[in-house]
Amino acid sequence: MSLPEVINHQDHLLSVNINEQEAVQHPTDGYFIQPLFLDSENGTWVLYAKFPPGTLLPRHFHTGTVHFFTTKGSWNYVEYPEDKQTAGSYLYEPGGSIHQFSVPKDAKEAAEGFMVVTGANINFDDDDNFIDVSDAGTIEQAVLTVCQMMGRDAPRYIRPGASAAFSF
């Protein structure tokens, strides 16, 4: 048996280092994200995020799965206060789950982690009214808009397609 024929030749590796670029801060919620891989066509988003103490995200419904690995700090879902996620925790969230992300106000440090998400988050307010949808496409648009408003370059991330490449 011989090696298979190369279908997609790579001239270089597609790699992003979170220590080599500045994260983007959400303009109202205060958390920071570093997009690593945004694929709006297939609905996959990969982010590294930093959530300061007191972060409370909207309750959301997942249309797909989530893999979240916590690297620093701790956080929990409001619905599961006893199930704190701490540095080193890996969490799998099935599609169809509903919850609200929280970092306690009295936390000693920000919660940080790496997430791989498929599909979208359908976000709701405290009265269960629809707010918006977060997916790879809306996240990419938000990152680009915030960076443009701040007069800074957008972070480098991977955009797949027929010829996978970096965002710039």
Side-chain angles (χ1 to χ4, degrees), residues 28-64:
T28 56
D29 292 335
Y31 61 86
F32 296 83
I33 65 165
Q34 290 183 289
L36 304 173
F37 178 91
L38 297 175
D39 181 356
S40 58
E41 183 177 336
N42 292 300
T44 302
W45 29 302
V46 180
L47 308 172
Y48 189 83
K50 181 177 182 178
F51 303 97
T55 299
L56 181 64
L57 299 182
R59 185 170 37 259
H60 54 276
F61 170 83
H62 286 282
T63 65

Side-chain angles (χ1 to χ4, degrees), residues 16-21 34:
V16 178
N17 187 324
I18 65 170
N19 297 315
E20 294 176 354
Q21 57 188 12
Q34 290 183 289

Side-chain angles (χ1 to χ4, degrees), residues 60 62-70 75 77 80 83-86 88-99 114-119:
H60 54 276
H62 286 282
T63 65
T65 61
V66 177
H67 301 267
F68 191 106
F69 182 76
T70 303
W75 62 275
Y77 287 124
Y80 307 98
D83 291 333
K84 296 218 183 294
Q85 301 299 300
T86 59
S89 296
Y90 163 76
L91 176 70
Y92 170 76
E93 302 171 21
S97 60
I98 299 174
H99 41 247
F114 170 81
M115 65 186 80
V116 177
V117 183
T118 59

Side-chain angles (χ1 to χ4, degrees), residues 97-111:
S97 60
I98 299 174
H99 41 247
Q100 186 171 21
F101 181 96
S102 172
V103 178
K105 289 180 184 177
D106 61 352
K108 294 180 178 160
E109 64 181 330

